[in-house]
Amino acid sequence: MTALFDVILPVFLVVGFGYVACWRRMLSEVAVDGIMRFAQTFAVPVLLFNAIAHLDLGTNYNPLLLLAFYAGAFLSFALGMGLALRWLKRPVEDAIAIGFVCLFSNSLLLGVPITERAYGPDALVGNFTIISIHSPLLYTFGITAMEFARARGHDLSLGRVALRALSGVLHTPMVIGILCGFVMNLLIQAGLVMPEGFWGAVRMMSSAALPAALFGLGGILYRYRPEGEARAIALCCAGSLLLHPAVTFGLSKLFGLGVAEIRSAVVTAAMAPGVNAYLFASIYGVAKRVSASAVLVATALSILTIWFWLSILP
């Protein structure tokens, strides 16, 4: 019970605060959009920049950690897309969007604060190792899959499809923050010393990122009332909340990862789909209702599934 009340509940109370504020009309949709725009376009990229800039790239990038996490993620995608095609009889574009919901866990807004509250700030190294390639890898994969699906019957070359995917990913603020963090990391390794005032400002922006994003997330979730499509929503929840962390946990044990790496990988894998999963569906205008409802339902259910994984992790 300690994990539920001391680790999970504070994070979801902030999300719930944003939800109630919108429900009771204390904030307009425009205000919530402004909060999320500040968080996702400015504060969160600065947080990622700061984290990546100070990562020890030589020792923290364990390929087995990344394999354990992303094998579970892509297996969840395959399950979601395959069952959406065969079981739910959805068009291929819808199936890709549903698979993307299973694929894209909320690694940053939920994974980081829960890991930090459970195990302390020093436990976040594995989280940021995963996050450093999370959006670039998964967005590139998702956009490429969708562009190929839409290119059927059209004379589009592999190069043009790949260029569209790469262009879309490189214009994402969080990806820009990650890439700038890698550049700063290399410059620091080369001997660059930035003034303390610079890092002080970075830390101030970073400290605002998660509270603002969690509060805004609650407001965004208020808009996504679950509607119909129960089987598709259940499929998304099963892939993201059950299959992904289970596969990651099993592979982490098989690979002999350290305790800290297992914690980071499994906790991150156990997170509900992020709002970006809905945004992906919205960009292409497919499976929007399923994606929005799955994000809301899975976020609520994840209170219990996260509690379960925290109780069995070493």
Side-chain angles (χ1 to χ4, degrees), residues 175-245:
V175 174
I176 293 171
I178 290 169
L179 295 176
C180 290
F182 277 118
V183 171
M184 179 59 72
N185 191 298
L186 295 175
L187 291 174
I188 291 172
Q189 297 301 319
L192 176 68
V193 178
M194 297 297 291
E196 177 56 30
F198 171 82
W199 292 115
V202 168
R203 287 192 294 270
M204 288 177 66
M205 283 289 287
S206 299
S207 65
L210 292 180
L214 289 171
F215 182 87
L217 175 62
I220 294 294
L221 289 176
Y222 172 69
R223 303 176 190 174
Y224 302 153
R225 300 169 182 82
E227 299 178 277
E229 313 245 23
R231 293 189 301 169
I233 295 169
L235 172 60
C236 293
C237 292
S240 60
L241 299 181
L242 302 178
L243 179 63
H244 188 181

Side-chain angles (χ1 to χ4, degrees), residues 2-91:
T2 301
L4 178 63
F5 289 106
D6 294 347
V7 176
I8 302 170
L9 190 59
V11 174
F12 282 91
L13 280 177
V14 178
V15 176
F17 189 17
Y19 190 98
V20 171
C22 288
W23 171 43
R24 302 308 300 171
R25 311 281 188 204
M26 290 183 277
L27 278 178
S28 65
E29 289 192 2
V30 173
V32 173
D33 288 338
I35 293 171
M36 287 302 287
R37 183 172 178 81
F38 162 74
Q40 293 187 321
T41 307
F42 302 102
V44 168
V46 171
L47 171 68
L48 293 172
F49 166 81
N50 188 40
I52 303 301
H54 292 97
L55 272 181
D56 186 341
L57 299 179
T59 60
N60 294 330
Y61 265 75
N62 184 348
L64 293 179
L65 166 67
L66 297 174
L67 180 59
F69 178 85
Y70 287 105
F74 284 109
L75 186 59
S76 299
F77 174 86
L79 174 76
M81 179 179 173
L83 289 180
L85 284 171
R86 302 298 181 185
W87 179 42
L88 302 179
K89 308 299 183 183
R90 301 294 291 255

Side-chain angles (χ1 to χ4, degrees), residues 71-212:
F74 284 109
L75 186 59
S76 299
F77 174 86
L79 174 76
M81 179 179 173
L83 289 180
L85 284 171
R86 302 298 181 185
W87 179 42
L88 302 179
K89 308 299 183 183
R90 301 294 291 255
V92 64
E93 290 90 347
D94 280 23
I96 291 172
I98 290 170
F100 196 82
V101 176
C102 301
L103 173 75
F104 203 99
S105 55
N106 200 334
S107 58
L108 181 62
L109 301 189
L110 293 179
V112 168
I114 287 175
T115 303
E116 183 176 13
R117 292 195 62 82
Y119 306 116
D122 294 338
L124 294 176
V125 171
N127 291 62
F128 284 115
T129 299
I130 292 168
I131 290 168
S132 68
I133 66 170
H134 192 258
S135 289
L137 175 64
L138 300 189
Y139 264 126
T140 301
F141 174 79
I143 293 172
T144 302
M146 190 66 79
E147 292 294 340
F148 269 117
R150 294 204 155 186
R152 290 174 302 163
H154 298 81
D155 187 19
L156 287 179
S157 67
L158 174 62
R160 289 187 63 184
V161 172
L163 186 62
R164 285 185 183 181
L166 184 62
S167 175
V169 170
L170 293 180
H171 283 83
T172 305
M174 286 188 284
V175 174
I176 293 171
I178 290 169
L179 295 176
C180 290
F182 277 118
V183 171
M184 179 59 72
N185 191 298
L186 295 175
L187 291 174
I188 291 172
Q189 297 301 319
L192 176 68
V193 178
M194 297 297 291
E196 177 56 30
F198 171 82
W199 292 115
V202 168
R203 287 192 294 270
M204 288 177 66
M205 283 289 287
S206 299
S207 65
L210 292 180

